Amino acid sequence: MIILSTDNPKNSVYYLGSILLNLMKKNTKNNFGVFDYFEIMNRTHEVSMNRFLLVLDWLYMLGKINTDSEKGLHLCT
C-alpha cells in the first residue's frame, strides 16, 4: 500500500510525509520550492521524485502544505 506499508515502512507516503513536515518546520524562514525540499530530503532519506510528488500531493490534499509563487512551499496553520 502506498500510504502505509508494513513491508517497508520507511518507503511509505505516511512516513516520508512526516519527514518532509519536520524539514518544513525547521525551514520556516527560507523560501524553498519543490526541488529544494527534494534535494534536502534526499540527503537523509533517499526517495524517488515520483514518490516525493506523491508525498506532496498527499500533504496538500490533507491541507498540511500549500504553495505560492513568493514563498514556495509552506506549512498551513
Side-chain angles (χ1 to χ4, degrees), residues 1 17 29 32 34 37 46-47 57 59-60 63 65 68 72-73:
M1 183 173 202
K29 295 183 181 182
F32 289 152
V34 172
Y37 279 113
E46 189 174 334
V47 62
D57 288 344
L59 292 174
Y60 180 79
I65 63 171
D68 65 31
L73 288 176

Side-chain angles (χ1 to χ4, degrees), residues 8-64:
N8 191 1
K10 290 187 177 183
N11 199 23
S12 69
V13 173
Y14 186 82
Y15 176 78
L16 294 172
S18 69
I19 299 295
L20 180 59
L21 287 175
N22 284 330
L23 288 173
M24 292 179 79
K25 285 179 185 177
K26 292 177 184 176
N27 295 311
T28 56
K29 295 183 181 182
N30 299 320
N31 296 335
F32 289 152
V34 172
F35 294 109
D36 298 318
Y37 279 113
F38 177 69
E39 289 176 3
I40 293 169
M41 193 164 171
N42 264 319
R43 291 180 194 157
T44 57
H45 295 83
E46 189 174 334
V47 62
S48 68
M49 180 56 101
N50 288 338
R51 183 64 58 142
F52 183 75
L53 292 175
L54 282 173
V55 170
L56 289 179
D57 288 344
W58 185 64
L59 292 174
Y60 180 79
M61 287 188 292
L62 290 175
K64 299 295 182 185

